[in-house]
Amino acid sequence: MSEELFTNLAIFVLSLLVGFEVMSKIPATLQTPMMSGANAIHGVVVVGAFVIAAEANSWVFYCLAFFGAFFAAVNVAGGYTVTDRMLGMFDRKPAAKKEDDQK
Amino acid sequence: MSALQTISSLIYLVSAVCYVLGVHMMRSPKTARHGNGLSAVGMFLAVITIIVTIIIEGKIDAIGWIVLLLGLALGILYGVVKARKVPMTDVPQLVSLFNAVGGGAAAVIGIFDYLLKGDGASLSIAFSLPVLLDVIIGGITFSGSLIATGKLSGHVSGKPITVPGARILNIIVVIAILASAWFMIGYPTNIWYVILALAMSLVFGLLMTLPIGGADMPVVVSLLNAFTGLAVAFAGFVINNQVLIIAGALVGAAGTILTLQMADAMNRSVANILAGGFGTGDSDT
C-alpha cells in the first residue's frame, strides 16, 4: 500500500466518522433542506471536472470532460440556489411575525 | 510537495472545514441558512483554487478550456434557472435531478481516468478498485435518481412497477456487474469493460427504484444522495484529490443518518422500503 493511498484512506474513514457525528436528530421540517444542502456539497465533484478537463487530449476525453463539467455545474449551482430558496422560506415567517408584533 | 500544492491543499482543508460547519449549522432552523451560505463559501474557495491551479500548471489546452467553460456555463445557467423557477411543491424532484447529475459527473471522472491512465496497460488494484466503485455507484445513482425524479413529478407512474421475473433479472445484472469488476481489476484496460460496468449499474439503478412506490421516494432520494457522496469520495481517490474525499465521505455518512431519520419519521424502515424494491410482495403505498 502506497503512502498516498493510506493517507487518502485515513481521510476517507475519518470524514465518514465526522459525517456520522455531525448529524444528530434534526426537526422533520429541516430534513428536506438538509438533504438538498448535502446534495449541494457533493457538487464539489466540479473540482474533479476541472482536473479531467486539464488532462483531456482527444475527442473522447473532450466529450467526457464536457459532460463532467456540465453535470457537476448543474449539481453545484442548482443545489446551493434551491437550498437557499428553501431556507429563505424559514427566514421570512418569524421575521414577518416580529413586524406584526411591533405594530 | 511544491508550493502550489501546499497552498492549494491548505485552502481545500479550509473549504472542507466550511462543509462540516455548514452541515452542523443546518441542523437548527435559526442558523440553517447561514450554514448553507458557509458551505457555499467553502465551495467557492475550492473552485477558485482549482482554477488558479490549472492556470499555473498550464497543462490544459485550448479545446480543454472551451469544453470546460462551455460545460460549466451551460450547467450553471440550467441549474440556477431551474432552481429559481421551480414551484416550491416541485423541489424534491429537482433535488433528485441535481443528485442524478452529481452521480453522473462522478461516474464520468472514473471512466475518464480509467481510459486515460490505463491506455491498454495493466492497472494496480489501488487504482482500479476506486474507479470501479466510482463508476458503479455513480451509475446506480444516475439512473435511480432520474427514475425518482420521474416518479415524483408524475412522468413515471408513482405506483410500484414490477417487471415479470424481476428477481432473476436482478441476479443476472448483479452477476454482470461482478463480471465487469473482475475484468476491470484483473485485466489490462479495455473500453468495453468500463462500458459494461456503467451499463449494468444504470440498469441496476432502474430495477432498484422502479418497484418502489411514490410515497417512499423522498427516503429513496436521500439514500441515493448518500450514494452520490460515496461516488464522489471514490472519484477523489481516482484523481487523488482530498477535498473530494472529505466532502464525499461527509455527505455519504450524514446522508445515511438523514435517510434513517426520514424513514423513521414515516414509520418505515429503509430495509422495508428497499425490499419493496426487489418485489418481495411489499404493499403499494
Side-chain angles (χ1 to χ4, degrees):
Chain A
M1 200 189 234
S2 70
E3 195 181 330
E4 184 183 282
L5 180 64
F6 180 77
T7 313
N8 286 344
L9 196 60
I11 290 172
F12 177 69
V13 173
L14 293 176
S15 303
L16 278 178
L17 293 176
V18 170
F20 285 130
E21 270 315 298
V22 85
M23 282 293 286
S24 60
K25 186 88 187 151
I26 62 162
T29 47
L30 274 179
Q31 282 173 348
T32 308
M34 180 63 103
M35 178 171 83
S36 179
N39 171 58
I41 291 176
H42 68 55
V44 72
V45 70
V46 73
V47 170
F50 279 91
V51 173
I52 61 169
E55 288 174 341
N57 54 16
S58 75
W59 70 270
V60 180
F61 293 120
Y62 290 129
C63 281
L64 284 171
F66 173 78
F67 281 108
F70 175 70
F71 284 165
V74 171
N75 186 179
V76 71
Y80 278 111
T81 312
V82 82
T83 310
D84 190 60
R85 231 185 109 195
M86 247 187 275
L87 292 169
M89 310 264 294
F90 285 90
D91 271 8
R92 233 169 287 151
K93 275 180 212 158
K97 207 180 164 195
K98 213 180 265 174
E99 279 171 17
D100 290 346
D101 290 348
Q102 281 167 355
K103 280 174 196 167
Chain B
M1 245 190 195
S2 68
L4 179 66
Q5 276 178 318
T6 310
I7 294 168
S8 62
S9 300
L10 286 174
I11 301 178
Y12 285 148
L13 187 60
V14 173
S15 60
V17 171
C18 289
Y19 305 143
V20 174
L21 293 179
V23 171
H24 179 82
M25 284 166 74
M26 282 184 76
R27 295 183 312 181
S28 132
K30 272 184 190 160
T31 52
R33 201 173 187 189
H34 288 119
N36 187 52
L38 184 61
S39 124
V41 169
M43 191 61 67
F44 185 72
L45 283 177
V47 170
I48 295 294
T49 310
I50 187 67
I51 292 175
V52 173
T53 307
I54 63 169
I55 289 176
I56 294 177
E57 282 180 343
K59 274 194 300 185
I60 185 165
D61 56 21
I63 311 176
W65 271 121
I66 293 168
V67 293
L68 177 65
L69 295 179
L70 191 66
L72 287 177
L74 290 175
I76 292 171
L77 190 71
Y78 179 80
V80 172
V81 168
K82 271 278 186 188
R84 284 194 186 281
K85 289 267 150 77
V86 71
M88 266 312 172
T89 45
D90 291 351
V91 162
Q93 51 262 45
L94 192 64
V95 173
S96 179
L97 180 68
F98 292 160
N99 185 44
V101 290
V108 165
I109 290 172
I111 295 167
F112 185 102
D113 257 36
Y114 178 76
L115 296 178
L116 186 81
K117 298 222 175 97
D119 203 20
S122 312
L123 299 165
S124 73
I125 190 166
F127 177 74
S128 55
L129 189 64
V131 168
L132 185 70
L133 292 170
D134 179 7
V135 173
I136 289 175
I137 302 173
I140 291 173
T141 54
F142 185 73
S143 64
S145 298
L146 284 182
I147 293 296
T149 310
K151 287 208 171 213
L152 285 165
S153 64
H155 292 302
V156 179
S157 164
K159 288 193 188 128
I161 301 168
T162 40
V163 279
R167 209 177 284 180
I168 295 169
L169 198 59
N170 270 319
I171 294 170
I172 294 172
V173 170
V174 169
I175 291 174
I177 289 178
L178 290 176
S180 70
W182 173 261
F183 285 124
M184 277 175 72
I185 291 176
Y187 292 85
T189 323
N190 183 320
I191 189 165
W192 293 106
Y193 300 159
V194 74
I195 288 177
L196 178 69
L198 179 70
M200 287 302 122
S201 36
L202 289 174
V203 174
F204 188 85
L206 295 182
L207 290 173
M208 188 177 121
T209 28
L210 275 176
I212 303 178
D216 284 334
M217 271 307 136
V219 180
V220 175
V221 174
S222 176
L223 183 69
L224 290 170
N225 188 33
F227 274 25
T228 308
L230 289 181
V232 170
F234 290 123
F237 276 93
V238 173
I239 59 170
N240 190 29
N241 185 306
Q242 277 85 19
V243 75
L244 260 68
I245 299 177
I246 298 175
L250 178 73
V251 174
T256 306
I257 304 283
L258 184 63
T259 308
L260 295 174
Q261 286 187 19
M262 287 172 82
D264 200 39
M266 293 172 69
N267 277 322
R268 302 272 275 142
S269 79
V270 175
N272 203 330
I273 291 169
L274 284 181
F278 292 102
T280 47
D282 191 37
S283 61
D284 37 344
T285 37

Short mmCIF file of all heavy atoms in Angstrom, two decimals, chain B residues 39-91:
data_model
loop_
_atom_site.label_atom_id
_atom_site.label_comp_id
_atom_site.label_asym_id
_atom_site.label_seq_id
_atom_site.Cartn_x
_atom_site.Cartn_y
_atom_site.Cartn_z
N SER B 39 -21.24 26.78 3.65
CA SER B 39 -20.80 25.67 2.80
C SER B 39 -20.60 26.16 1.36
O SER B 39 -19.69 25.70 0.66
CB SER B 39 -21.77 24.50 2.96
OG SER B 39 -22.32 24.08 1.78
N ALA B 40 -21.42 27.14 0.92
CA ALA B 40 -21.23 27.72 -0.42
C ALA B 40 -19.91 28.48 -0.50
O ALA B 40 -19.23 28.43 -1.54
CB ALA B 40 -22.40 28.64 -0.77
N VAL B 41 -19.53 29.15 0.60
CA VAL B 41 -18.23 29.85 0.62
C VAL B 41 -17.10 28.83 0.45
O VAL B 41 -16.16 29.04 -0.32
CB VAL B 41 -18.06 30.64 1.94
CG1 VAL B 41 -16.62 31.13 2.10
CG2 VAL B 41 -19.01 31.82 1.99
N GLY B 42 -17.22 27.70 1.16
CA GLY B 42 -16.23 26.63 1.02
C GLY B 42 -16.12 26.16 -0.42
O GLY B 42 -15.03 25.95 -0.95
N MET B 43 -17.28 26.01 -1.06
CA MET B 43 -17.31 25.56 -2.45
C MET B 43 -16.63 26.58 -3.35
O MET B 43 -15.84 26.22 -4.24
CB MET B 43 -18.77 25.37 -2.88
CG MET B 43 -18.96 24.67 -4.18
SD MET B 43 -18.29 23.01 -4.16
CE MET B 43 -19.38 22.21 -3.01
N PHE B 44 -16.91 27.87 -3.11
CA PHE B 44 -16.32 28.95 -3.90
C PHE B 44 -14.79 28.89 -3.79
O PHE B 44 -14.08 28.96 -4.80
CB PHE B 44 -16.87 30.29 -3.39
CG PHE B 44 -16.43 31.47 -4.19
CD1 PHE B 44 -16.94 31.69 -5.46
CD2 PHE B 44 -15.50 32.36 -3.67
CE1 PHE B 44 -16.52 32.79 -6.20
CE2 PHE B 44 -15.08 33.45 -4.40
CZ PHE B 44 -15.59 33.66 -5.67
N LEU B 45 -14.29 28.75 -2.55
CA LEU B 45 -12.85 28.67 -2.33
C LEU B 45 -12.24 27.50 -3.11
O LEU B 45 -11.21 27.65 -3.78
CB LEU B 45 -12.56 28.46 -0.84
CG LEU B 45 -12.67 29.67 0.08
CD1 LEU B 45 -12.42 29.25 1.52
CD2 LEU B 45 -11.67 30.72 -0.35
N ALA B 46 -12.92 26.34 -3.05
CA ALA B 46 -12.38 25.16 -3.73
C ALA B 46 -12.32 25.38 -5.23
O ALA B 46 -11.34 25.02 -5.89
CB ALA B 46 -13.23 23.93 -3.40
N VAL B 47 -13.37 26.01 -5.78
CA VAL B 47 -13.42 26.23 -7.24
C VAL B 47 -12.34 27.23 -7.67
O VAL B 47 -11.62 27.00 -8.65
CB VAL B 47 -14.83 26.69 -7.68
CG1 VAL B 47 -14.82 27.16 -9.12
CG2 VAL B 47 -15.83 25.56 -7.51
N ILE B 48 -12.19 28.34 -6.89
CA ILE B 48 -11.15 29.31 -7.21
C ILE B 48 -9.77 28.64 -7.19
O ILE B 48 -8.93 28.85 -8.07
CB ILE B 48 -11.17 30.48 -6.18
CG1 ILE B 48 -12.47 31.28 -6.30
CG2 ILE B 48 -9.97 31.40 -6.37
CD1 ILE B 48 -12.63 32.03 -7.60
N THR B 49 -9.55 27.80 -6.16
CA THR B 49 -8.25 27.13 -6.03
C THR B 49 -7.94 26.27 -7.24
O THR B 49 -6.83 26.32 -7.78
CB THR B 49 -8.25 26.24 -4.77
OG1 THR B 49 -8.70 27.01 -3.67
CG2 THR B 49 -6.87 25.70 -4.48
N ILE B 50 -8.93 25.48 -7.68
CA ILE B 50 -8.64 24.59 -8.82
C ILE B 50 -8.45 25.40 -10.10
O ILE B 50 -7.61 25.06 -10.93
CB ILE B 50 -9.72 23.49 -8.98
CG1 ILE B 50 -9.33 22.46 -10.03
CG2 ILE B 50 -11.08 24.05 -9.35
CD1 ILE B 50 -8.15 21.61 -9.69
N ILE B 51 -9.18 26.53 -10.24
CA ILE B 51 -8.98 27.36 -11.43
C ILE B 51 -7.55 27.89 -11.46
O ILE B 51 -6.83 27.76 -12.47
CB ILE B 51 -9.99 28.55 -11.46
CG1 ILE B 51 -11.41 28.04 -11.68
CG2 ILE B 51 -9.61 29.55 -12.56
CD1 ILE B 51 -12.47 29.12 -11.59
N VAL B 52 -7.10 28.46 -10.32
CA VAL B 52 -5.74 29.00 -10.25
C VAL B 52 -4.72 27.89 -10.48
O VAL B 52 -3.75 28.07 -11.22
CB VAL B 52 -5.51 29.71 -8.88
CG1 VAL B 52 -4.05 30.11 -8.73
CG2 VAL B 52 -6.42 30.92 -8.76
N THR B 53 -4.97 26.72 -9.88
CA THR B 53 -4.02 25.60 -10.03
C THR B 53 -3.86 25.21 -11.49
O THR B 53 -2.72 25.08 -11.98
CB THR B 53 -4.51 24.37 -9.24
OG1 THR B 53 -4.76 24.76 -7.89
CG2 THR B 53 -3.47 23.27 -9.24
N ILE B 54 -4.98 25.05 -12.22
CA ILE B 54 -4.79 24.59 -13.61
C ILE B 54 -4.23 25.70 -14.50
O ILE B 54 -3.55 25.40 -15.48
CB ILE B 54 -6.06 23.94 -14.24
CG1 ILE B 54 -7.22 24.89 -14.37
CG2 ILE B 54 -6.48 22.69 -13.50
CD1 ILE B 54 -8.34 24.31 -15.24
N ILE B 55 -4.48 26.97 -14.13
CA ILE B 55 -3.85 28.05 -14.92
C ILE B 55 -2.34 28.03 -14.72
O ILE B 55 -1.57 28.08 -15.68
CB ILE B 55 -4.43 29.43 -14.52
CG1 ILE B 55 -5.87 29.56 -15.02
CG2 ILE B 55 -3.57 30.56 -15.11
CD1 ILE B 55 -6.57 30.83 -14.60
N ILE B 56 -1.90 27.90 -13.45
CA ILE B 56 -0.46 27.91 -13.18
C ILE B 56 0.22 26.68 -13.79
O ILE B 56 1.28 26.77 -14.40
CB ILE B 56 -0.18 27.99 -11.66
CG1 ILE B 56 -0.67 29.34 -11.12
CG2 ILE B 56 1.30 27.81 -11.36
CD1 ILE B 56 -0.51 29.52 -9.64
N GLU B 57 -0.41 25.52 -13.62
CA GLU B 57 0.19 24.30 -14.18
C GLU B 57 0.24 24.35 -15.71
O GLU B 57 1.14 23.79 -16.33
CB GLU B 57 -0.58 23.06 -13.72
CG GLU B 57 -0.24 22.66 -12.29
CD GLU B 57 -1.01 21.43 -11.82
OE1 GLU B 57 -2.01 21.09 -12.46
OE2 GLU B 57 -0.59 20.83 -10.81
N GLY B 58 -0.78 25.00 -16.30
CA GLY B 58 -0.77 25.25 -17.74
C GLY B 58 -0.84 24.01 -18.63
O GLY B 58 -0.46 24.04 -19.79
N LYS B 59 -1.32 22.87 -18.06
CA LYS B 59 -1.38 21.66 -18.88
C LYS B 59 -2.58 21.68 -19.83
O LYS B 59 -2.58 21.04 -20.87
CB LYS B 59 -1.50 20.43 -17.97
CG LYS B 59 -0.16 19.91 -17.49
CD LYS B 59 -0.32 18.51 -16.88
CE LYS B 59 -1.26 18.52 -15.69
NZ LYS B 59 -1.35 17.23 -15.01
N ILE B 60 -3.61 22.41 -19.43
CA ILE B 60 -4.86 22.39 -20.19
C ILE B 60 -4.69 23.11 -21.53
O ILE B 60 -4.09 24.17 -21.59
CB ILE B 60 -6.00 23.00 -19.34
CG1 ILE B 60 -7.34 22.88 -20.04
CG2 ILE B 60 -5.71 24.46 -18.98
CD1 ILE B 60 -8.52 23.14 -19.11
N ASP B 61 -5.19 22.50 -22.62
CA ASP B 61 -5.07 23.14 -23.93
C ASP B 61 -6.33 23.93 -24.27
O ASP B 61 -7.28 23.98 -23.49
CB ASP B 61 -4.75 22.10 -25.02
CG ASP B 61 -5.77 20.99 -25.07
OD1 ASP B 61 -6.90 21.20 -24.57
OD2 ASP B 61 -5.45 19.92 -25.61
N ALA B 62 -6.30 24.58 -25.45
CA ALA B 62 -7.39 25.49 -25.82
C ALA B 62 -8.74 24.77 -25.87
O ALA B 62 -9.74 25.26 -25.34
CB ALA B 62 -7.08 26.14 -27.16
N ILE B 63 -8.76 23.58 -26.51
CA ILE B 63 -10.04 22.87 -26.62
C ILE B 63 -10.51 22.47 -25.22
O ILE B 63 -11.71 22.51 -24.92
CB ILE B 63 -9.92 21.63 -27.53
CG1 ILE B 63 -9.23 22.00 -28.84
CG2 ILE B 63 -11.29 21.03 -27.82
CD1 ILE B 63 -8.97 20.83 -29.76
N GLY B 64 -9.56 22.11 -24.37
CA GLY B 64 -9.89 21.76 -22.99
C GLY B 64 -10.61 22.91 -22.29
O GLY B 64 -11.63 22.73 -21.64
N TRP B 65 -10.07 24.11 -22.47
CA TRP B 65 -10.72 25.31 -21.88
C TRP B 65 -12.13 25.49 -22.43
O TRP B 65 -13.06 25.77 -21.68
CB TRP B 65 -9.91 26.58 -22.20
CG TRP B 65 -8.85 26.90 -21.19
CD1 TRP B 65 -7.51 27.02 -21.44
CD2 TRP B 65 -9.03 27.15 -19.79
NE1 TRP B 65 -6.85 27.32 -20.28
CE2 TRP B 65 -7.76 27.41 -19.26
CE3 TRP B 65 -10.14 27.18 -18.93
CZ2 TRP B 65 -7.54 27.71 -17.90
CZ3 TRP B 65 -9.93 27.46 -17.60
CH2 TRP B 65 -8.66 27.72 -17.09
N ILE B 66 -12.24 25.33 -23.76
CA ILE B 66 -13.55 25.58 -24.38
C ILE B 66 -14.59 24.62 -23.84
O ILE B 66 -15.66 25.03 -23.39
CB ILE B 66 -13.45 25.49 -25.93
CG1 ILE B 66 -12.60 26.65 -26.45
CG2 ILE B 66 -14.83 25.52 -26.57
CD1 ILE B 66 -12.20 26.51 -27.90
N VAL B 67 -14.26 23.29 -23.84
CA VAL B 67 -15.27 22.33 -23.37
C VAL B 67 -15.57 22.55 -21.89
O VAL B 67 -16.72 22.46 -21.46
CB VAL B 67 -14.88 20.86 -23.63
CG1 VAL B 67 -14.85 20.55 -25.10
CG2 VAL B 67 -13.58 20.47 -22.97
N LEU B 68 -14.53 22.88 -21.13
CA LEU B 68 -14.73 23.08 -19.69
C LEU B 68 -15.65 24.27 -19.44
O LEU B 68 -16.66 24.16 -18.73
CB LEU B 68 -13.37 23.31 -19.02
CG LEU B 68 -13.41 23.62 -17.51
CD1 LEU B 68 -13.95 22.44 -16.74
CD2 LEU B 68 -12.02 23.97 -17.01
N LEU B 69 -15.31 25.42 -20.04
CA LEU B 69 -16.08 26.64 -19.77
C LEU B 69 -17.49 26.54 -20.34
O LEU B 69 -18.46 26.98 -19.71
CB LEU B 69 -15.35 27.86 -20.33
CG LEU B 69 -14.02 28.14 -19.63
CD1 LEU B 69 -13.33 29.35 -20.24
CD2 LEU B 69 -14.22 28.38 -18.13
N LEU B 70 -17.60 25.91 -21.52
CA LEU B 70 -18.93 25.74 -22.11
C LEU B 70 -19.80 24.86 -21.21
O LEU B 70 -20.95 25.20 -20.90
CB LEU B 70 -18.79 25.12 -23.51
CG LEU B 70 -20.05 25.11 -24.36
CD1 LEU B 70 -20.47 26.53 -24.71
CD2 LEU B 70 -19.85 24.29 -25.63
N GLY B 71 -19.23 23.74 -20.78
CA GLY B 71 -19.97 22.83 -19.89
C GLY B 71 -20.38 23.53 -18.61
O GLY B 71 -21.53 23.43 -18.18
N LEU B 72 -19.44 24.26 -18.01
CA LEU B 72 -19.74 24.95 -16.76
C LEU B 72 -20.83 26.00 -16.95
O LEU B 72 -21.79 26.08 -16.17
CB LEU B 72 -18.49 25.64 -16.22
CG LEU B 72 -17.41 24.74 -15.64
CD1 LEU B 72 -16.21 25.57 -15.24
CD2 LEU B 72 -17.93 23.97 -14.43
N ALA B 73 -20.69 26.80 -18.03
CA ALA B 73 -21.64 27.90 -18.25
C ALA B 73 -23.05 27.34 -18.45
O ALA B 73 -24.01 27.80 -17.82
CB ALA B 73 -21.22 28.73 -19.46
N LEU B 74 -23.16 26.33 -19.32
CA LEU B 74 -24.48 25.75 -19.57
C LEU B 74 -25.05 25.13 -18.29
O LEU B 74 -26.22 25.29 -17.97
CB LEU B 74 -24.39 24.67 -20.66
CG LEU B 74 -24.12 25.17 -22.08
CD1 LEU B 74 -23.94 24.01 -23.04
CD2 LEU B 74 -25.27 26.08 -22.54
N GLY B 75 -24.18 24.44 -17.53
CA GLY B 75 -24.62 23.80 -16.30
C GLY B 75 -25.10 24.79 -15.27
O GLY B 75 -26.16 24.61 -14.66
N ILE B 76 -24.33 25.87 -15.08
CA ILE B 76 -24.72 26.89 -14.09
C ILE B 76 -26.04 27.54 -14.51
O ILE B 76 -26.96 27.70 -13.71
CB ILE B 76 -23.60 27.95 -13.93
CG1 ILE B 76 -22.38 27.32 -13.27
CG2 ILE B 76 -24.09 29.14 -13.12
CD1 ILE B 76 -21.15 28.21 -13.25
N LEU B 77 -26.12 27.87 -15.81
CA LEU B 77 -27.33 28.51 -16.32
C LEU B 77 -28.55 27.62 -16.06
O LEU B 77 -29.55 28.03 -15.46
CB LEU B 77 -27.17 28.77 -17.82
CG LEU B 77 -28.25 29.63 -18.46
CD1 LEU B 77 -28.09 31.07 -17.99
CD2 LEU B 77 -28.16 29.57 -19.98
N TYR B 78 -28.44 26.36 -16.49
CA TYR B 78 -29.55 25.42 -16.34
C TYR B 78 -29.91 25.24 -14.86
O TYR B 78 -31.08 25.35 -14.48
CB TYR B 78 -29.19 24.07 -16.96
CG TYR B 78 -30.28 23.04 -16.84
CD1 TYR B 78 -31.36 23.03 -17.72
CD2 TYR B 78 -30.23 22.07 -15.84
CE1 TYR B 78 -32.36 22.10 -17.60
CE2 TYR B 78 -31.23 21.12 -15.72
CZ TYR B 78 -32.30 21.15 -16.60
OH TYR B 78 -33.29 20.21 -16.47
N GLY B 79 -28.89 25.00 -14.02
CA GLY B 79 -29.13 24.73 -12.61
C GLY B 79 -29.79 25.90 -11.91
O GLY B 79 -30.78 25.75 -11.19
N VAL B 80 -29.24 27.12 -12.12
CA VAL B 80 -29.76 28.29 -11.42
C VAL B 80 -31.18 28.63 -11.89
O VAL B 80 -32.07 28.90 -11.07
CB VAL B 80 -28.81 29.50 -11.58
CG1 VAL B 80 -29.43 30.76 -11.02
CG2 VAL B 80 -27.49 29.22 -10.88
N VAL B 81 -31.39 28.59 -13.21
CA VAL B 81 -32.73 28.92 -13.72
C VAL B 81 -33.76 27.94 -13.17
O VAL B 81 -34.80 28.33 -12.65
CB VAL B 81 -32.74 28.91 -15.28
CG1 VAL B 81 -34.15 28.94 -15.81
CG2 VAL B 81 -31.95 30.10 -15.80
N LYS B 82 -33.43 26.63 -13.26
CA LYS B 82 -34.34 25.61 -12.73
C LYS B 82 -34.62 25.86 -11.24
O LYS B 82 -35.76 25.80 -10.80
CB LYS B 82 -33.71 24.22 -12.90
CG LYS B 82 -34.03 23.58 -14.22
CD LYS B 82 -35.41 22.93 -14.16
CE LYS B 82 -35.72 22.16 -15.42
NZ LYS B 82 -37.12 21.70 -15.42
N ALA B 83 -33.56 26.11 -10.48
CA ALA B 83 -33.70 26.25 -9.03
C ALA B 83 -34.53 27.48 -8.66
O ALA B 83 -35.23 27.48 -7.66
CB ALA B 83 -32.32 26.34 -8.37
N ARG B 84 -34.44 28.53 -9.48
CA ARG B 84 -35.20 29.75 -9.17
C ARG B 84 -36.65 29.65 -9.62
O ARG B 84 -37.55 30.17 -8.98
CB ARG B 84 -34.56 30.95 -9.87
CG ARG B 84 -33.32 31.44 -9.19
CD ARG B 84 -32.93 32.81 -9.73
NE ARG B 84 -31.66 33.23 -9.17
CZ ARG B 84 -31.51 33.73 -7.97
NH1 ARG B 84 -32.57 33.88 -7.19
NH2 ARG B 84 -30.33 34.07 -7.52
N LYS B 85 -36.87 28.96 -10.75
CA LYS B 85 -38.20 28.95 -11.35
C LYS B 85 -39.12 27.91 -10.73
O LYS B 85 -40.34 28.04 -10.78
CB LYS B 85 -38.08 28.68 -12.87
CG LYS B 85 -37.48 29.85 -13.64
CD LYS B 85 -38.56 30.76 -14.18
CE LYS B 85 -38.12 32.20 -14.30
NZ LYS B 85 -37.30 32.60 -15.35
N VAL B 86 -38.54 26.86 -10.18
CA VAL B 86 -39.36 25.71 -9.77
C VAL B 86 -40.36 26.11 -8.67
O VAL B 86 -40.02 26.85 -7.75
CB VAL B 86 -38.45 24.55 -9.29
CG1 VAL B 86 -37.80 24.87 -7.96
CG2 VAL B 86 -39.22 23.26 -9.19
N PRO B 87 -41.64 25.65 -8.78
CA PRO B 87 -42.58 25.89 -7.69
C PRO B 87 -42.13 25.11 -6.45
O PRO B 87 -41.55 24.03 -6.59
CB PRO B 87 -43.91 25.32 -8.22
CG PRO B 87 -43.69 24.94 -9.62
CD PRO B 87 -42.23 24.89 -9.89
N MET B 88 -42.39 25.67 -5.26
CA MET B 88 -41.91 25.05 -4.03
C MET B 88 -42.34 23.59 -3.88
O MET B 88 -41.63 22.77 -3.31
CB MET B 88 -42.40 25.86 -2.82
CG MET B 88 -41.38 26.88 -2.37
SD MET B 88 -39.79 26.10 -2.25
CE MET B 88 -38.68 27.37 -1.96
N THR B 89 -43.51 23.26 -4.42
CA THR B 89 -44.01 21.89 -4.28
C THR B 89 -43.20 20.90 -5.10
O THR B 89 -43.24 19.70 -4.86
CB THR B 89 -45.48 21.82 -4.73
OG1 THR B 89 -45.60 22.54 -5.96
CG2 THR B 89 -46.41 22.41 -3.71
N ASP B 90 -42.49 21.41 -6.12
CA ASP B 90 -41.74 20.52 -7.01
C ASP B 90 -40.27 20.41 -6.64
O ASP B 90 -39.47 19.87 -7.40
CB ASP B 90 -41.86 21.00 -8.47
CG ASP B 90 -43.27 20.82 -9.01
OD1 ASP B 90 -44.07 20.17 -8.31
OD2 ASP B 90 -43.55 21.32 -10.11
N VAL B 91 -39.91 20.97 -5.46
CA VAL B 91 -38.50 20.96 -5.08
C VAL B 91 -37.90 19.55 -4.94
O VAL B 91 -36.81 19.30 -5.45
CB VAL B 91 -38.26 21.81 -3.81
CG1 VAL B 91 -36.93 21.48 -3.16
CG2 VAL B 91 -38.32 23.29 -4.16
#
